[in-house]
Amino acid sequence: MNAKSLLLSILSLLSVFFIFLTLQASWNNPQEQTKLDLLQTDLILQATQITNTAQENSVGDLFQSLISDGNTQDIYTQSLRSYQEVLQANKSALDRLSLNIKDETDNSQSLSKQYQKKLNNIIEISVRTGLLQVQTGDIQGAIATWASVKELEGESLTSYGLTAQILQGLWSEPTMLFPNAETQLRHTLNGWYRKVALAKVYEAQQRQEKLPELEKQAQIEVNAAINRLVIINSIPLIGGGFGVLVWLGLLVQWIFFRKSSPFYTHPQTDNEQTSHQITWQVPWGIGTTWEVMVLWFTAFCLMTQFVLPVIFEILGIESRASEDFTLQSLLVLLPYTLSVIPMLPILSTSLADYRPLPEGWFRFKITSPQWILWGIGGYFAAVPLVLIASVISQKFLQGQGGGNPLLPILIESQNILPKFLLWTTLAIAAPFFEEYLFRGFLLPSLTKFLPVWGAIALSGFLFALAHLNLADIIPLSVLGIVMGFVYWRSKNLLSSMLLHCLWNSGSFLALIALGGK
């Protein structure tokens, strides 16, 4: 074994070790999907505020058709179930973190931060869970939930801990009123939760004159909630509906016009093969493919885990970014671009001996409009498949599997610029670099050693694995397979890049509607 092979072997082992540790760490975090589910639950609860006064109008009818075929009490019961499931998942993760802190003394500071963050999440969820228990008639259960917050906090008292004590006093017998209760509840609660809590405060204080004002404010919030729900539900419904039609069309084509089907892989003549599908000539062996992927991943890890964090620490950027969402967005865009851009010189150097490359490599044909149809059609075909894969992933991982650093920026930022910078990362930078590497280089390279379907499947799995998030592996593998198939059949990287852009843009729009202020 020469020095180069030895170095690549060491880097490969380190890469596998890093991937394993990262995926293991993601297991201790609740899936963002569970957090998103709670955001949607909160929107639905906010929209239920119309049912007392506007149930007969068209907005009320639209709301009912969107979220429920039952009554408001059913919505409260379903919402409580969702919160209790997420609460239990967080408590299980907290117990695992507690054990890890005891076992790992070297990494105890990092684990302690994760523990405190998880604890804060549990306290916030517990406060809201209690209010849902009240609405379902379980007042003693609500009091017990709020009392558990005090046990979790111990001697310390957070803002949500104080809110839990205020709520516990309001629903106790006899009622216990805290000073500045209204101010505290307005500070920590929003939407439906704030309305329920403040209504109880005004009732206890015998300030019924404040209730019409509370109702008026609730009605203002209703239309915004319903509009966001329409957007959130329309993306998977419309995309999934068109996707089902695409698959039905493909099925009909396969039955009656098999030779024109994109799935038909046994052409009868060489000319037919040339016009119907790509066949790549791969002049390099597995060693070159291995070299490119390992060197790229090593460069990616070095940039994201060492070089950029040290630079940001020296410049003091991280501390200034805590409240600056534009800076946070730049700290997503720039590190991502700087960490994936080494792919270009690595590819150029590793493939230098094979230039000029055979025909068909890294194809960009913007003048042919077919790439647009392939990209859009591939997107709609992917929607139902990835939705099914996401449900399977959620059930299998039971709410665990990793987080998304973009979610807090999208939820809390009120400015357009941070959102635009994030969209630039997701819809422009990511599709270009990731498709260039995984579909442009890896997929064709694997066809030298695997059947094309095996190459598409393996490149899709490695694409998902590179995202270093356990919750994403199954759905992103499915998405990667669809993008690989689209590239194989369209003969154009622009088609898979368009599909990738549409997918990330749709997800981005849904997140904006769900959590954006």
Side-chain angles (χ1 to χ4, degrees):
M1 180 180 291
N2 57 33
K4 180 179 178 181
S5 298
L6 179 61
L7 177 61
L8 286 175
S9 298
I10 293 173
L11 292 177
S12 299
L13 290 174
L14 291 175
S15 298
V16 171
F17 184 64
F18 177 79
I19 291 172
F20 175 78
L21 289 180
T22 306
L23 294 179
Q24 185 183 44
S26 73
W27 173 254
N28 291 321
N29 294 323
Q31 291 183 32
E32 290 303 331
Q33 189 62 45
T34 59
K35 296 180 181 179
L36 297 179
D37 288 341
L38 293 189
L39 287 174
Q40 183 160 345
T41 295
D42 292 345
L43 277 180
I44 292 172
L45 288 170
Q46 187 168 314
T48 62
Q49 298 173 105
I50 69 172
T51 56
N52 292 331
T53 59
Q55 208 167 26
E56 299 302 323
N57 64 23
S58 58
V59 176
D61 293 340
L62 174 61
F63 164 68
Q64 290 294 338
S65 64
L66 270 176
I67 63 170
S68 176
D69 55 4
N71 55 37
T72 304
Q73 199 62 35
D74 292 334
I75 296 174
Y76 294 149
T77 302
Q78 294 167 10
S79 300
L80 175 60
R81 189 180 301 116
S82 297
Y83 261 85
Q84 288 176 329
E85 289 174 356
V86 175
L87 182 60
Q88 185 57 46
N90 274 269
K91 287 182 176 179
S92 298
L94 188 73
D95 292 339
R96 288 194 295 270
L97 280 172
S98 181
L99 293 175
N100 291 339
I101 291 173
K102 294 178 182 178
D103 296 338
E104 298 184 26
T105 56
D106 296 337
N107 198 29
S108 59
Q109 185 175 1
S110 174
L111 290 174
S112 295
K113 290 181 180 179
Q114 293 182 41
Y115 183 92
Q116 188 59 48
K117 183 178 180 181
K118 188 73 61 183
L119 182 62
N120 292 338
N121 287 339
I122 290 174
I123 291 170
E124 180 179 352
I125 293 171
S126 296
V127 167
R128 299 187 176 202
T129 301
L131 287 168
L132 286 166
Q133 288 175 300
V134 167
Q135 291 303 111
T136 57
D138 186 12
I139 295 178
Q140 293 305 312
I143 291 173
T145 298
W146 292 323
S148 68
V149 170
K150 186 175 182 180
E151 297 175 6
L152 288 170
E153 289 190 324
E155 296 180 359
S156 61
L157 181 64
T158 65
S159 183
Y160 273 100
L162 177 58
T163 298
Q165 290 187 19
I166 291 172
L167 294 175
Q168 184 178 350
L170 285 172
W171 270 276
S172 296
E173 291 291 344
T175 300
M176 181 188 303
L177 277 172
F178 281 67
N180 300 320
E182 179 180 354
T183 302
Q184 176 65 20
L185 294 176
R186 287 187 179 277
H187 175 68
T188 54
L189 300 177
N190 56 20
W192 176 87
Y193 303 95
R194 182 171 56 200
K195 179 191 174 187
V196 171
L198 289 179
K200 186 67 173 178
V201 170
Y202 297 149
E203 177 187 331
Q205 295 174 339
Q206 297 184 349
R207 298 166 62 195
Q208 279 75 12
E209 72 278 2
K210 299 288 290 183
L211 293 177
E213 179 183 334
L214 193 61
E215 288 289 340
K216 184 178 180 180
Q217 179 61 36
Q219 294 303 317
I220 294 174
E221 297 173 345
V222 163
N223 286 337
I226 291 181
N227 289 336
R228 289 161 70 178
L229 282 169
V230 169
I231 295 174
I232 294 162
N233 286 277
S234 65
I235 292 175
L237 286 175
I238 295 175
F242 276 108
V244 170
L245 292 177
V246 168
W247 283 108
L248 288 175
L250 291 171
L251 178 61
V252 171
Q253 186 182 35
W254 177 259
I255 294 173
F256 297 104
F257 311 100
R258 183 163 301 188
K259 287 188 177 182
S260 64
S261 169
F263 296 103
Y264 182 67
T265 56
H266 300 287
Q268 299 299 316
T269 67
D270 292 339
N271 290 335
E272 190 177 356
Q273 180 175 352
T274 301
S275 64
H276 193 66
Q277 65 186 62
I278 279 186
T279 54
W280 290 280
Q281 295 179 10
V282 187
W284 51 82
I286 192 172
T288 301
T289 305
W290 173 37
E291 173 187 320
V292 169
M293 299 307 296
V294 170
L295 290 179
W296 166 75
F297 190 74
T298 301
F300 176 83
C301 293
L302 286 174
M303 291 295 290
T304 56
Q305 302 298 317
F306 298 103
V307 177
L308 293 175
V310 169
I311 293 175
F312 293 155
E313 183 67 27
I314 293 174
L315 298 177
I317 294 176
E318 292 282 0
S319 59
R320 297 202 301 269
S322 59
E323 300 298 330
D324 188 336
F325 294 113
T326 301
L327 188 55
Q328 288 182 35
S329 300
L330 284 172
L331 290 180
V332 174
L333 175 60
L334 293 179
Y336 175 82
T337 304
L338 293 174
S339 61
V340 295
I341 208 168
M343 165 195 72
L344 298 177
I346 289 172
L347 277 171
S348 178
T349 303
S350 298
L351 304 184
D353 293 339
Y354 306 100
R355 296 186 182 279
L357 298 179
E359 184 182 359
W361 281 88
F362 303 107
R363 284 190 176 184
F364 291 90
K365 296 194 299 182
I366 196 169
T367 55
S368 175
Q370 289 186 345
W371 66 271
I372 299 176
L373 297 177
W374 274 104
I376 296 174
Y379 169 76
F380 286 125
V383 171
L385 298 181
V386 178
L387 288 177
I388 293 171
S390 298
V391 172
I392 294 172
S393 178
Q394 271 192 282
K395 295 296 182 182
F396 181 72
L397 296 175
Q398 297 181 342
Q400 298 302 117
N404 187 331
L406 306 185
L407 189 58
I409 302 175
L410 293 175
I411 292 175
E412 299 173 24
S413 173
Q414 301 185 46
N415 298 324
I416 295 177
L417 182 58
K419 294 180 173 64
F420 175 75
L421 292 173
L422 290 181
W423 178 84
T424 302
T425 306
L426 294 170
I428 298 177
F432 175 79
F433 288 110
E434 293 174 15
E435 293 309 301
Y436 196 87
L437 178 65
F438 286 97
R439 254 62 66 182
F441 170 74
L442 181 59
L443 168 57
S445 297
L446 292 175
T447 60
K448 186 167 184 176
F449 321 102
L450 295 171
V452 68
W453 281 106
I456 290 173
L458 181 57
S459 63
F461 172 74
L462 293 176
F463 163 75
L465 195 64
H467 285 74
L468 300 174
N469 193 332
L470 196 60
D472 288 336
I473 288 181
I474 296 177
L476 286 188
S477 293
V478 173
L479 181 62
I481 289 170
V482 175
M483 291 190 293
F485 178 81
V486 164
Y487 173 51
W488 177 44
R489 289 310 199 188
S490 68
K491 315 177 182 69
N492 197 339
L493 267 175
L494 289 175
S495 59
S496 62
M497 288 181 180
L498 176 60
L499 193 166
H500 201 149
C501 172
L502 291 173
W503 185 270
N504 285 357
S505 297
S507 301
F508 182 83
L509 178 61
L511 288 175
I512 290 290
L514 188 57
K517 293 184 180 179

